[in-house]
Amino acid sequence: MPDDLTLTVTQRPAALDARRGIVRLHPEVMAALAINPGDPLRLTGRRSTAGIAAKAEPGASRALLYADDLTIGNLGLRDGGQVTVTPVPVVAARRVALTGPAEIVAIVSPEMLRLALLGKVVTAGDDVSLLPQDVMPEAAHRSLVEAARRSLANRVGYAWTSTLLQVLAVEGADAALVTMDTVVGWQDGQFSTVRPEAEPVLATAHPASTDPDMPPPSVDDLPGLRTQAQELTELLDLGFHHREVLGRLGTTVSLGVLVSGPAGSGKSALVRAVAASLGAGVLPVWGPELAALTNDAAATRLRGLARDVRAGGPAVLLIADVEALAPRDEPGPLSTVFRQIVAELIASGAAVVCTTSRPEAVDPSLRSPDLLAVQLAVPLPDAAMRREQLRVLTRGMPLAEDVRLDDVAGRTPGFVAADLGALAREAGVRAALRQKEAESPTVAMDDFEAALDVVRPTSMAESTLEVAQVTLDEVGDMVEVKQTLTESVLWPLTYPDTFARLGVQPPRGVLLYGPPGCGKTFLVKAIAGTGKANVLSVKGAELLSKWVGDSERAVRELFRRAREAAPTLVFLDEVDALAPTRGQATDGGTTDRVVAALLTELDGVESLRNVVVIGATNRPDLIDPALLRPGRLERLVFVPPPDGEARAAILRASSKSVPLDEAVDFDALGADLDGFSAADCAALIREAALTAMRESLEATTVTAEHVAAARKRVRPSLDPVQVAWLEAYASTHAAG
């Protein structure tokens, strides 16, 4: 049995393993090396590195080692070559020191950095990514790795998936595994500068950072949070510096505060700025890290933190993502210990500030008067607030004269401070790539335009609809439909102040119905391209689950994300599958409960501000009538099949990028396509282009003959019976 094998390295195209330190081998090769999935390997090319073994897909070559681009770069084999694979024993790293871009060092805490490296085998001199090793995590670490992924996305923004760090030193072995006991830290010089996380440091730090060497933020750098900062300042100042006044008045003050708000909105930065202004220290703790420890270890750590806070003079214990320590659904022994320690700290005069982006997931008992008695909400920034945040974030950037921050702020609905920071960084990177040799580079509006194409708000990480570069003006015909949608959808999202000034409630939702292929989804994409709003797209059946309670939770989560990312357009495609008439289903009541949850979200106690819902269906008769009453999907908009004039307009719009010969008569062709839907018309243009390609791959023009040949192949898809029924339904339920 060989101790090592020499294989040819090749890049693995799949994105699953990308930059996670995973290498894949044929099962027979793994058997020959006597290794199992998850075992560490020493890899030697032009230089040595390490990786985690995994099985390759069926049909993989026995002579190849499949690796990602990062591992191949660490081997020094960018152009390919041979690599020697050697099994190595599992050795836990005692300490790991890394370096990286200054903005990442300032934002990512040592605790979060350790979780990003958890389960990876690292070697000094390697490049590593922040992408967690979630391909083969240990069962005990799955929730922790997922929490790290969410927090990295919230803290770093778009850049977290592409940032590379360099491993400077590893203590324990040449190739060592990062575990929960490994001390991980940033290093600017010698290895000894890595600060063990077991040694808490009371400090006032940079926003979203736990590095005490960074300068504290200023309240002036937190536009939009000055009201919350004033409230928190008054409370902490009274508790820290004026307790004698309270004593003379015969009362006390509770310094327990819960700060809620969207992830990345500046909650931790707010606390640090206020503490710095009062000369108080801050001891930051990340809730999911403590929750991942055993109950005894977590309780010991909490008591140690409490001692440090009491011993440090005026101090704040800052606990981020507190729902991990005190969950609403399954509070355990750790939650009880946590409440006891918080009560003791507050009673001793220390301040405890907890932050959360999911207040509904926090144990309600934590908000009792003797615990977190004060609650502050950090709002999602509006356009004016985003403009101020961009001004602060770009203060050190040499902006070109064409940069219009007002326009950028108007095009970033749903962005929080962290997202805007990622946007500014991405624009700066684009400017640097464009002006590598320039002595006085500047960031231009084009750089922000390019950054806007790739940076998305963290609140829109799931269920997004790719916004097409099309507007309602480019939609052929359908004048009345477009006017109705403009009034019902765009006006509430674009002019909420006008509705408030006139004292009327804007329409809450719209139902688009019509034959298949007539442009309902295309209209929604055009509205999204016109309205500068975030779009959440969900197909009806996607929210349904066989597990009791999961479907209703999915509906609540959808609308929670919509509120956080407002102004938001929620698109429910095939809504008849999601909200059928109640009392007729045979699924144990799942769809009935989903309909009830949907009705409550649309018109319940909790306000749905700056959120408009669009449903689409070709069977409006199957939808529960309660969903179609005023206050819910109150506007019913019939999207009719196109007539001859509309078909001609659709053909023109579909062929904008196709080099059609001038002899193609759109008006005559549109009149000849009776029974064709909008999708059929677009298919006709595609087929004409393919006909030209079949004739010659060097073709430069699509002629009328090609269109005529395509006309013979493409058949109309509209069902006359269904169209007639829908037209009758529309005449009966005419929506103004």
Side-chain angles (χ1 to χ4, degrees):
M1 189 173 294
D3 293 332
D4 56 53
L5 290 174
T6 300
L7 305 172
T8 301
V9 67
T10 185
Q11 185 167 337
R12 175 174 163 81
L16 179 64
D17 301 344
R19 301 188 170 188
R20 289 169 170 83
I22 302 292
V23 295
R24 294 189 177 265
L25 304 165
H26 191 280
E28 293 182 10
V29 175
M30 296 182 67
L33 292 170
I35 58 175
N36 297 311
D39 287 348
L41 299 173
R42 163 67 66 187
L43 309 173
T44 307
R46 291 194 180 96
R47 65 177 300 276
S48 290
T49 185
I52 299 291
K55 288 184 179 180
E57 294 85 350
S61 171
R62 296 172 179 80
L64 296 179
L65 177 138
Y66 299 88
D68 59 30
D69 60 335
L70 189 59
T71 303
I72 293 173
N74 287 333
L75 286 165
L77 299 175
R78 294 286 186 189
D79 301 323
Q82 300 291 310
V83 56
T84 301
V85 182
T86 308
V88 294
V90 179
V91 177
R94 291 192 293 274
R95 294 191 177 205
V96 177
L98 301 99
T99 187
E103 63 273 15
I104 300 299
V105 174
I107 292 174
V108 178
S109 68
E111 294 93 338
M112 199 176 299
L113 183 60
R114 177 173 57 195
L115 292 180
L117 299 179
L118 189 64
K120 295 182 182 180
V121 179
V122 294
T123 302
D126 278 356
D127 288 334
V128 295
S129 75
L130 285 171
L131 287 166
Q133 202 283 87
D134 52 4
V135 180
M136 293 184 297
E138 295 183 21
H141 295 156
R142 289 186 185 277
S143 61
L144 200 58
V145 169
E146 183 58 32
R149 171 182 288 277
R150 289 195 303 268
S151 294
L152 283 165
N154 294 339
R155 293 279 181 93
V156 183
Y158 167 77
W160 84 279
T161 60
S162 57
T163 297
L164 294 184
L165 314 173
Q166 186 179 19
V167 180
L168 295 181
V170 178
E171 193 176 280
D174 291 339
L177 181 71
V178 178
T179 69
M180 286 299 296
D181 295 324
T182 304
V183 176
V184 179
W186 297 111
Q187 173 161 340
D188 299 321
Q190 300 301 315
F191 182 77
S192 59
T193 62
V194 180
R195 185 178 64 253
E197 294 154 342
E199 302 171 6
V201 180
L202 279 173
T204 307
H206 187 275
S209 169
T210 58
D211 187 350
D213 299 324
M214 296 296 297
S218 167
V219 174
D220 293 335
D221 293 338
L222 304 174
L225 302 183
R226 294 186 179 93
T227 301
Q228 292 83 352
Q230 182 178 356
E231 291 183 33
L232 188 58
T233 300
E234 291 173 352
L235 177 70
L236 296 184
D237 182 50
L238 195 62
F240 287 154
H241 304 131
H242 302 287
R243 283 192 175 269
E244 70 283 356
V245 178
L246 293 169
R248 288 196 293 269
L249 292 172
T251 186
T252 59
V253 63
S254 176
L255 298 184
V257 183
L258 178 65
V259 183
S260 61
S265 57
K267 300 184 292 295
S268 295
L270 167 68
V271 178
R272 296 175 186 281
V274 169
S277 68
L278 296 174
V282 175
L283 200 158
V285 185
W286 188 40
E289 187 203 14
L290 285 181
L293 303 175
T294 63
N295 288 337
D296 290 342
T300 302
R301 178 83 183 274
L302 280 170
R303 292 189 177 95
L305 292 168
R307 285 194 301 271
D308 293 323
V309 171
R310 291 194 193 97
V316 177
L317 177 62
L318 174 59
I319 302 172
D321 298 335
V322 69
E323 67 274 9
L325 292 176
R328 180 190 188 99
D329 294 336
E330 299 178 2
L334 179 59
S335 179
T336 302
V337 173
F338 175 65
R339 289 197 301 271
Q340 291 173 345
I341 292 175
V342 170
E344 292 170 3
L345 274 174
I346 294 173
S348 68
V352 178
V353 180
C354 300
T355 69
T356 180
S357 58
R358 300 168 55 211
E360 73 282 355
V362 178
D363 186 354
S365 65
L366 200 61
R367 307 185 195 187
S368 62
D370 58 334
L371 295 175
L372 305 183
V374 179
Q375 299 181 40
L376 298 177
V378 175
L380 191 78
D382 56 16
M385 196 185 302
R386 293 194 298 272
R387 168 65 178 82
E388 276 299 298
Q389 289 174 339
L390 283 168
R391 183 187 61 79
V392 171
L393 291 167
T394 59
R395 204 160 40 192
M397 284 185 169
L399 299 180
E401 293 182 358
D402 66 337
V403 173
R404 302 176 301 278
L405 293 182
D406 285 333
D407 289 353
V408 177
R411 294 178 59 184
T412 50
F415 277 58
V416 293
D419 301 323
L420 294 173
L423 180 70
R425 286 195 299 271
E426 182 66 18
V429 169
R430 298 298 176 110
L433 292 173
R434 186 170 48 83
Q435 305 167 87
K436 290 181 179 179
E437 307 299 329
E439 293 185 3
S440 301
T442 59
V443 181
M445 191 65 187
D446 288 343
D447 299 316
F448 280 98
E449 295 278 357
L452 283 167
D453 289 337
V454 295
V455 179
R456 301 293 300 154
T458 52
S459 57
M460 303 292 292
E462 302 174 10
S463 300
T464 57
L465 175 69
E466 188 67 29
V467 177
Q469 298 300 315
V470 63
T471 65
L472 282 177
D473 295 335
E474 299 172 59
V475 177
D477 199 57
M478 292 195 283
V479 177
E480 294 183 3
V481 173
K482 291 191 290 187
Q483 179 62 30
T484 302
L485 289 177
T486 299
E487 297 174 0
S488 304
V489 179
L490 296 185
W491 285 3
L493 295 175
T494 311
Y495 310 112
D497 294 342
T498 303
F499 282 92
R501 186 170 61 252
L502 295 176
V504 294
Q505 186 74 22
R508 191 67 49 82
V510 175
L511 176 67
L512 296 177
Y513 66 99
C518 288
K520 297 185 291 296
T521 303
F522 186 75
L523 276 169
V524 174
K525 290 185 177 182
I527 293 170
T530 304
K532 298 180 181 178
N534 289 311
V535 182
L536 288 171
S537 175
V538 180
K539 291 182 175 60
E542 288 181 358
L543 295 179
L544 299 178
S545 170
K546 66 179 181 180
W547 305 109
V548 175
D550 277 4
S551 299
E552 302 94 290
R553 185 182 296 110
V555 172
R556 292 195 301 271
E557 180 68 15
L558 170 67
F559 281 90
R560 183 189 66 80
R561 290 202 308 273
R563 290 186 184 93
E564 287 187 354
T568 310
L569 177 64
V570 179
F571 177 42
L572 303 176
D573 202 2
E574 306 298 340
V575 69
D576 52 285
L578 178 64
T581 304
R582 285 171 288 181
Q584 300 181 4
T586 58
D587 56 3
T590 297
T591 53
D592 288 359
R593 293 193 297 272
V594 169
V595 173
L598 190 60
L599 296 177
T600 303
E601 292 291 345
L602 281 171
D603 190 20
V605 174
E606 191 170 359
S607 175
L608 197 64
R609 296 178 55 194
N610 292 336
V611 176
V612 175
V613 180
I614 295 183
T617 181
N618 53 21
R619 291 298 306 273
D621 56 310
L622 297 182
I623 298 175
D624 191 278
L627 193 64
L628 305 181
R629 74 157 176 78
R632 291 167 180 160
L633 301 185
E634 59 185 71
R635 304 294 295 273
L636 275 65
V637 181
F638 178 53
V639 182
D643 56 17
E645 184 179 345
R647 289 192 293 266
I650 293 168
L651 289 168
R652 288 190 181 91
S654 302
S655 60
K656 276 188 174 181
S657 60
V658 179
L660 282 176
D661 188 88
E662 294 181 356
V664 177
D665 187 346
F666 288 114
D667 293 327
L669 184 60
D672 183 53
L673 297 178
D674 191 34
F676 273 58
S677 67
D680 298 333
C681 294
L684 178 65
I685 297 297
R686 286 197 303 271
E687 183 62 31
L690 288 173
T691 303
M693 292 176 63
R694 294 188 193 102
E695 188 176 288
S696 172
L697 290 176
E698 305 297 327
T700 58
T701 306
V702 178
T703 65
E705 288 75 18
H706 296 142
V707 175
R711 173 69 179 83
K712 296 178 181 178
R713 293 191 181 95
V714 180
R715 300 297 180 189
S717 61
L718 290 177
D719 181 356
V721 175
Q722 184 183 29
V723 171
W725 182 88
L726 285 168
E727 288 176 343
Y729 184 92
S731 63
T732 305
H733 303 80

